[in-house]
Amino acid sequence: MSEGAYQRLWESSHVILQELLDQEQPLLEPVPYRERQSFQYRLASLYLHYLGLLRRFDTIYDQMVQPQKRRLLRRLLDCVAGRVLELKDELVRADLCENPCLDRVLQDLKLTPADLEVPIPKYFLLEQSTAVRERGLILAKILSRLEPESSQKSFIGMHRTEAIILVQKAERARQGRLRATFMREIRRDEEQDRRIREDGWHKFSQCQAAVTIQKVWKGYLQRKRTQQDRRTEMEFIGMLPSPNQVEHLSIISQACLWEDVRRLRQVEKEEEFQAAMVKAHDSLAETEGPDMKEKMKEQIRQWFIECHDLTGRFPDYPDASSGGSYSIFADKTPEQVRMELEMQVQENKKKEQEKSNEKGKDEKKKNKKGKEEKAKKGEVDAVLQVLPSKCIPMISAGHEEYLNTWKNQCESIQPSQNYDSETLREEKRKEVELEIRIQVDELMRQELRNLRLVVDKEEERPLRAPKKTPGKKTGRKKEKDLTPNRSVESLYEELVISGLLRKSESVALKDYVGDFLYLGSALSLAKKLPMPSLFDIRQNVALYAVLRLGSPDIHAMAPLIRSILLVGPCGMGKKMLVKAVCTETGANLFDLSPGNLLGKYPGRNGAQMMVHIVFKVARLLQPSVIWIGNAEKNFYKKIPKEDREMDPKRIKKDLTKALRLLTPGDRVMLIGTTSQPQLAEIRGLCRVYERILFMPRPDYASRYVLWKRMIEARGVQPTQHLDISALAKVSDGYTPGHILQAIQSVLSERRFLQLSKRPLVACEFLGQLAKLDPVYREEEESLKDWYFKTPLGKKSVKHRMDQLEAEEAKLAKEKKKRK
C-alpha cells in the first residue's frame, strides 16, 4: 500500500470513530432490566466496531512514516484498545458469562468470525525487541554457567573393528534388499509371459482395435474432466486448498519486505524529528524566552495588586504541585481573574452562613438515609448502566486534534513524509513556556515575600496542609522491602539459578488453533448453555493478558485484572497459552508451581522471601508472567500423603498479599492452570484468581481445524484421500494434545517418504487414537459443576433460573386467561 492509501484509511477510520463517539453518550443512560437483550446487543455492536477500529489503527501506525502523525496514532491506538477492554468487561457483567455469544450480532452487521479476532498491536514486540534480545542473552549466559559440562559431552567410543563390522552388516543388508526387489520384478515379468503364452493372443480386426482404443481414451478424458470440475468446485467453496498457493505466498513475502522497508524509513524520520525537536526548543528559548518571562512577571504582579486592592492583603502563591501560577492564568483574561477574586470573597461569606444552618439539617438527613438507600438499591437492581469510561475523553481529544491539525492539511506539502515545522514549534512553545513559568514562579514567590515584609510588614505565612477526612485511607500500605541492598541483576541471577525464572518457548497465540462457535445464540434460545470454543478461549487470553501486558498505557487505562485461572482437562493447551502470552508481549516467565518449589527457600521466612523476590523482580523487569501449574494444590481441602513433603500451601498467604499490592501500571500477571479444581477450596481459589476461564473439550468445528492445521504443520498437504471430516467426527472427546500425539505417531520420517506412492488416509490415525484415553463426559460434567459454583457461574445459574421462573409464570397466566 502507498502512503496515500494509508492516509485514506486514516481518514475513513476517523469517520467511523466519530460515529462511535456519537453512540457513546446514549449508552450512559440507565436502561430498565426488561430491555436487557437490547442493551447487550448495543454493547456487542459497539465492541465489534471498536475491534475493527483497533485493527485499522494498528495497520496505520505500523506503516505510517510521518513522525508527528505516528504520535497521535499511538495515543489513539492505546485508547481504543483500552475502550475494547472496557466494553469486554461490560459485556461480561451484562451477560454474566466470560464468552458472550456474538454470532447474531456478527450476522446482522454482515461481518465474519475473522472480524472478531482480537488484533495484537505489532509495536508490542517491535519496540522492545532489543530489550528482549539482551535479556535472552543474559539468561543464556547464566544457564551456560550452570551446565558447563553439557556442551563438552563426548560420544561413547567404538573400536575400529567393531565399526567396520557394523558398516559391513548395514551394506550387505542394503544389497540384499535391492537384490530381493530385483528378483521379485523378474519373477513377476516371467509369470506375465507364461500366462500370455497359455491363454494365447486375442486377435482384433482393425475396426475393433480402433473402437477399443477410442473407448478407453474417451473414458479417460471424461474422468479427467469430471475430476477437474469437482476439484474446481471444491476449491471455490473452500473445501480444498488453492493450487496458486505458491504464487500467493510469494506476493505476501514481497508485501512483508515492503513493510520492513517502511519501518526502516520510520526510524530515519524519527531520528530527524528528534534532532529537530532539540533545535526548535533551543531556538524558542533563545528568541521568545525573554519576552515570555517578562509577560508572565507583569501578569503575576497585576494579580498581586488586584488581590491587595480587593481583600486588603496579598494572596497565597499556589504551590508547585498544584501547577503554580498556571492554575490561575490558564486560558483566562485579566477581567476573568478579577471576577473570580470577587466571587471568592462572596463565597467565603456564604460558607460561614451555611455552616451554621447545616448543623440542624444533619439529623434530618440521617433519618432519611435508610429509606433512600433502600430505594437506591431497588433502582440499581432494576437498571442496567455502563460505567464511565477513562478512555473516551482521551479518544475525543485525539479525534479533535486530528480534525484541527491533520484533516485539512494537504499531503502535497510533505510528499517525503517529513515533520511539520509549524506544528512542532507550537508544541515546543508550550514546553518552553512551562519551563520558564517554573523559573518565574520561584522569582515571584521571593518577590511576594519581600512585598509582604515591606507593605504589610508581616512574615511569610506557611501553607496549610489539606485536611484528611477521618475514616478514609489516603493510600495503600506499602510493602516492606526485604532485599534493600540487593541489585536487580543479582536477584535475577538468583531466580534463574534456583529455577524460578525460566526461558519461555517461542509460541505464537495464533498457533492455538480453534474455530468460532456458530450456534451460540441458537443454543441460548433453546435454553441450552453454550460452552466456549477454542476460538473464544484464544480471544479471552488475548484480551485479559496480552493487550494488558503489552503496553503500560493500555494497562493503566483498562479495568485492572491481576490474575487468570485456566481450568480444563489435560491436553487442552493451558501451558501453551501461558507461553504464547510471554511470546506475544516479550514477558519474563516465573514458575511458582508447587512441584518446582520443592526444597527451595525452606521455612516460613523462606517462602515469604521467595514470593517477595519474585514479585519485586517481576515489577522491575515488566512485563512479567507468574505461572502456577496445578494451582489447586495451593488451596487443597486436604493435602494428600504424596504431596505433604512439598507443602503446597506454604505460599498461599504471601501470594494473596503480594497480588493485592499490584496497581494499574504494574504489568505483572499471575496465570494459574489446573485440571482438578474440585480438590481446592473454591473460596480461596476465587479470591486469588479474578478471572476463571473454563476450557471444555473442542467441538466439531474446532476439531476439524485442528486436524487440518496440525497435519499441514508437519509438512503434509491434505489430499482427497484423507477424510478430515470423518476424523473430526471420530475424535469427539479427544483434546488437542491427543490429536497432536496421534499425528506425530503416524507421520514418522519413514511414512513421510512414502507419501508420494501411498497417500495419507484417515484410518491410519484410528489405531493411535484408540491407544489414548479420551476425556469422558463424567469428567467434563464434574468440571462444569465446579465452574457453576464460582461467583460468575453462580450469577449465571441464578439468572437462568429467574428467566425460567418468569417464563413459567407467564405461561401460567396465559393458561388462566384461556380458561
Side-chain angles (χ1 to χ4, degrees):
M1 289 171 69
S2 65
E3 195 67 38
Y6 287 112
Q7 184 65 30
R8 288 191 294 274
L9 184 61
W10 193 19
E11 291 170 4
S12 62
S13 299
H14 274 277
V15 173
I16 297 169
L17 182 58
Q18 183 62 59
E19 294 174 359
L20 294 178
L21 290 173
D22 293 339
Q23 295 176 30
E24 288 285 354
Q25 192 60 35
L27 205 64
L28 293 172
E29 297 174 2
V31 176
Y33 194 77
R34 60 178 176 273
E35 297 178 13
R36 183 170 175 270
Q37 288 187 349
S38 64
F39 179 74
Q40 288 175 352
Y41 187 91
R42 285 161 59 197
L43 274 177
S45 176
L46 205 60
Y47 170 75
L48 288 171
H49 281 115
Y50 270 110
L51 265 183
L53 197 61
L54 177 62
R55 195 174 293 106
R56 281 166 166 257
F57 279 140
D58 179 37
T59 305
I60 303 166
Y61 177 73
D62 184 51
Q63 293 300 301
M64 186 73 78
V65 176
Q66 216 270 4
Q68 289 162 303
K69 291 179 182 177
R70 279 175 56 78
R71 277 163 170 72
L72 174 58
L73 276 166
R74 173 64 178 272
R75 293 202 303 273
L76 284 169
L77 176 60
D78 288 345
C79 292
V80 169
R83 185 57 183 153
V84 165
L85 296 176
E86 286 177 343
L87 287 170
K88 171 65 178 178
D89 201 51
E90 295 291 343
L91 276 170
V92 171
R93 285 198 308 113
D95 200 55
L96 301 175
C97 178
E98 292 289 355
N99 33 272
C101 300
L102 305 177
D103 49 323
R104 187 166 66 89
V105 188
L106 279 175
Q107 189 176 359
D108 293 346
L109 296 175
K110 303 292 188 292
L111 299 175
T112 64
D115 295 306
L116 193 57
E117 193 79 43
V118 177
I120 298 170
K122 300 177 186 67
Y123 79 83
F124 281 6
L125 287 178
L126 289 173
E127 291 188 359
Q128 58 176 356
S129 57
T130 307
V132 172
R133 200 181 305 112
E134 290 175 357
R135 200 190 306 145
L137 290 172
I138 294 168
L139 189 59
K141 188 177 178 181
I142 296 170
L143 291 172
S144 64
R145 277 186 311 201
L146 291 176
E147 300 178 359
E149 297 178 0
S150 59
S151 58
Q152 300 175 359
K153 284 184 180 178
S154 57
F155 294 102
I156 299 170
M158 182 183 289
H159 196 268
R160 185 181 296 177
T161 307
E162 294 176 358
I164 291 170
I165 292 170
L166 188 64
V167 172
Q168 285 177 343
K169 284 180 181 178
E171 179 60 23
R172 285 169 185 162
R174 187 187 68 81
Q175 291 179 3
R177 286 193 294 272
L178 288 174
R179 188 179 183 83
T181 305
F182 181 63
M183 294 303 295
R184 198 181 300 117
E185 290 175 358
I186 290 174
R187 287 195 212 95
R188 188 180 61 214
D189 293 341
E190 289 176 353
E191 183 67 21
Q192 285 179 356
D193 293 341
R194 186 181 62 77
R195 285 179 183 173
I196 289 170
R197 284 196 300 272
E198 289 176 358
D199 297 340
W201 293 95
H202 183 70
K203 295 180 180 180
F204 288 99
S205 65
Q206 193 172 4
C207 292
Q208 287 176 336
V211 169
T212 303
I213 292 169
Q214 285 175 355
K215 281 180 181 179
V216 173
W217 178 245
K218 286 180 179 179
Y220 169 75
L221 286 178
Q222 188 58 45
R223 283 192 297 275
K224 289 289 285 183
R225 285 195 203 99
T226 306
Q227 190 177 4
Q228 185 61 35
D229 292 344
R230 179 171 175 76
R231 183 172 183 81
T232 306
E233 183 185 358
M234 297 293 278
E235 286 173 7
F236 178 74
I237 63 176
M239 296 296 288
L240 285 176
S242 174
N244 300 325
Q245 203 167 12
V246 178
E247 295 178 11
H248 180 63
L249 290 173
S250 65
I251 293 168
I252 290 174
S253 63
Q254 287 178 4
C256 290
L257 284 173
W258 182 241
E259 287 178 359
D260 293 337
V261 170
R262 294 181 70 87
R263 291 190 188 108
L264 290 173
R265 284 190 65 202
Q266 287 173 2
V267 175
E268 294 173 5
K269 297 296 179 186
E270 182 63 29
E271 289 174 356
E272 292 176 10
F273 184 63
Q274 292 290 345
M277 285 170 68
V278 175
K279 189 176 179 182
H281 181 277
D282 295 343
S283 173
L284 286 167
E286 186 178 348
T287 56
E288 299 182 15
D291 294 337
M292 288 182 187
K293 199 169 186 178
E294 290 302 321
K295 189 178 177 181
M296 288 178 195
K297 283 182 177 179
E298 289 175 8
Q299 197 176 18
I300 295 169
R301 286 190 185 110
Q302 182 67 24
W303 177 58
F304 289 165
I305 294 165
E306 289 173 0
C307 284
H308 193 273
D309 292 343
L310 285 169
T311 60
R313 57 186 292 182
F314 289 108
D316 292 329
Y317 206 93
D319 193 17
S321 59
S322 60
S325 59
Y326 182 78
S327 60
I328 305 168
F329 301 105
D331 301 326
K332 294 174 188 174
T333 62
E335 294 176 359
Q336 289 175 331
V337 174
R338 190 179 301 145
M339 290 292 292
E340 280 187 2
L341 290 168
E342 291 175 0
M343 291 292 292
Q344 282 178 5
V345 175
Q346 293 175 4
E347 283 177 4
N348 290 333
K349 292 179 181 178
K350 285 181 182 179
K351 282 179 182 178
E352 291 176 1
Q353 293 175 357
E354 286 174 0
K355 280 180 182 178
S356 58
N357 296 332
E358 279 178 3
K359 290 180 181 178
K361 293 178 182 178
D362 285 342
E363 293 180 2
K364 294 179 181 179
K365 285 182 180 179
K366 285 178 183 178
N367 296 331
K368 292 180 180 179
K369 270 185 182 179
K371 295 178 182 179
E372 287 177 2
E373 283 176 5
K374 289 178 182 178
K376 282 181 183 176
K377 283 180 182 177
E379 287 174 9
V380 170
D381 292 340
V383 165
L384 293 169
Q385 193 173 6
V386 174
L387 298 174
S389 170
K390 293 181 182 177
C391 305
I392 291 299
M394 289 184 275
I395 293 174
S396 301
H399 182 57
E400 286 296 324
E401 184 180 340
Y402 165 78
L403 294 176
N404 297 333
T405 309
W406 303 109
K407 184 181 179 182
N408 299 320
Q409 191 182 71
C410 184
E411 282 299 309
S412 60
I413 298 172
Q414 280 97 22
S416 59
Q417 297 305 308
N418 291 326
Y419 61 88
D420 183 9
S421 56
E422 291 181 7
T423 309
L424 174 61
R425 286 184 71 84
E426 285 295 324
E427 291 175 0
K428 285 295 160 185
R429 188 173 284 110
K430 292 176 183 176
E431 289 183 15
V432 170
E433 188 177 344
L434 285 173
E435 290 174 5
I436 291 173
R437 189 173 291 280
I438 292 169
Q439 299 171 11
V440 170
D441 285 348
E442 288 297 323
L443 294 170
M444 298 311 292
R445 282 192 186 95
Q446 184 61 40
E447 189 171 326
L448 181 62
R449 292 190 200 104
N450 297 335
L451 283 170
R452 281 177 179 158
L453 286 170
V454 173
V455 179
D456 294 342
K457 295 182 180 181
E458 64 175 15
E459 296 180 359
E460 184 185 4
R461 293 192 298 271
L463 290 173
R464 293 181 182 178
K467 291 182 179 179
K468 293 183 181 179
T469 53
K472 290 185 180 179
K473 293 183 180 179
T474 55
R476 198 179 280 273
K477 189 179 179 182
K478 288 186 178 180
E479 182 186 12
K480 184 182 177 182
D481 191 0
L482 302 178
T483 55
N485 301 322
R486 296 279 302 275
S487 65
V488 183
E489 291 78 11
S490 66
L491 293 173
Y492 184 87
E493 186 172 352
E494 181 181 328
L495 291 176
V496 174
I497 292 169
S498 59
L500 298 178
L501 198 154
R502 294 187 173 186
K503 185 179 180 181
S504 176
E505 297 176 26
S506 182
V507 179
L509 188 63
K510 64 181 180 181
D511 293 338
Y512 190 79
V513 182
D515 206 356
F516 179 67
L517 182 64
Y518 295 94
L519 298 174
S521 298
L523 289 170
S524 297
L525 289 171
K527 307 304 176 192
K528 292 182 180 178
L529 185 66
M531 286 289 104
S533 65
L534 299 186
F535 180 92
D536 297 325
I537 294 162
R538 184 173 72 240
Q539 301 317 302
N540 281 334
V541 170
L543 290 164
Y544 291 147
V546 177
L547 281 185
R548 283 175 163 85
L549 292 177
S551 166
D553 296 327
I554 296 174
H555 194 280
M557 287 185 286
L560 181 61
I561 293 178
R562 303 181 183 92
S563 53
I564 300 172
L565 181 65
L566 302 176
V567 179
C570 295
M572 282 301 300
K574 298 184 287 294
K575 292 178 189 175
M576 180 183 177
L577 287 171
V578 175
K579 294 171 185 174
V581 171
C582 294
T583 303
E584 296 291 352
T585 59
N588 298 291
L589 178 61
F590 298 87
D591 185 2
L592 286 182
S593 304
N596 190 41
L597 303 183
L598 184 62
K600 297 171 185 176
Y601 294 91
R604 177 71 189 86
N605 294 332
Q608 185 182 2
M609 177 66 75
M610 174 176 59
V611 173
H612 169 77
I613 293 173
V614 166
F615 275 84
K616 181 179 178 179
V617 175
R619 275 197 297 266
L620 293 172
L621 301 177
Q622 300 177 27
S624 299
V625 170
I626 301 171
W627 171 55
I628 299 182
N630 298 322
E632 78 281 355
K633 291 186 177 181
N634 292 5
F635 302 91
Y636 264 144
K637 295 175 184 174
K638 185 179 180 182
I639 301 175
K641 289 182 180 179
E642 59 271 15
D643 290 340
R644 283 177 188 170
E645 186 181 351
M646 69 171 69
D647 190 14
K649 298 174 74 171
R650 69 190 184 110
I651 66 167
K652 177 181 172 181
K653 290 182 180 178
D654 298 309
L655 186 68
T656 310
K657 289 177 185 176
L659 270 178
R660 286 176 187 165
L661 294 170
L662 295 178
T663 57
D666 292 335
R667 290 183 294 153
V668 179
M669 181 155 291
L670 175 69
I671 303 180
T673 57
T674 176
S675 56
Q676 295 178 313
Q678 308 94 327
L679 303 177
E681 294 174 1
I682 192 165
R683 186 177 295 177
L685 199 65
C686 295
R687 194 180 297 146
V688 169
Y689 295 100
E690 298 173 0
R691 287 286 188 273
I692 298 174
L693 303 181
F694 178 53
M695 305 168 67
R697 301 176 301 174
D699 55 2
Y700 170 81
S702 293
R703 291 196 302 273
Y704 183 91
V705 177
L706 279 167
W707 278 106
K708 189 172 182 293
R709 296 280 180 85
M710 286 182 176
I711 290 171
E712 287 174 351
R714 301 285 293 179
V716 179
Q717 196 64 36
T719 61
Q720 291 181 346
H721 299 88
L722 182 61
D723 191 351
I724 297 178
S725 180
L727 281 173
K729 190 72 177 172
V730 169
S731 56
D732 185 15
Y734 289 93
T735 63
H738 291 144
I739 293 171
L740 182 61
Q741 276 183 269
I743 291 171
Q744 288 175 342
S745 301
V746 171
L747 289 175
S748 59
E749 291 183 13
R750 185 177 180 185
R751 183 68 185 88
F752 189 79
L753 295 171
Q754 296 172 350
L755 288 173
S756 57
K757 296 180 181 178
R758 188 162 61 91
L760 201 63
V761 291
C763 60
E764 295 181 56
F765 297 96
L766 299 181
Q768 295 298 329
L769 281 176
K771 295 177 184 177
L772 302 170
D773 291 328
V775 178
Y776 295 104
R777 197 167 296 279
E778 293 80 8
E779 182 181 349
E780 189 174 26
E781 290 298 325
S782 173
L783 288 172
K784 284 182 189 177
D785 293 341
W786 177 87
Y787 179 73
F788 291 131
K789 292 175 185 176
T790 61
L792 190 63
K794 283 179 180 178
K795 290 178 184 177
S796 179
V797 170
K798 185 178 180 300
H799 170 65
R800 290 184 179 278
M801 292 297 291
D802 292 343
Q803 276 186 327
L804 289 172
E805 287 175 4
E807 286 179 7
E808 287 175 2
K810 191 177 179 181
L811 289 171
K813 284 182 181 179
E814 288 178 358
K815 285 180 181 179
K816 286 180 180 179
K817 286 180 181 179
R818 288 173 188 173
K819 289 179 180 179

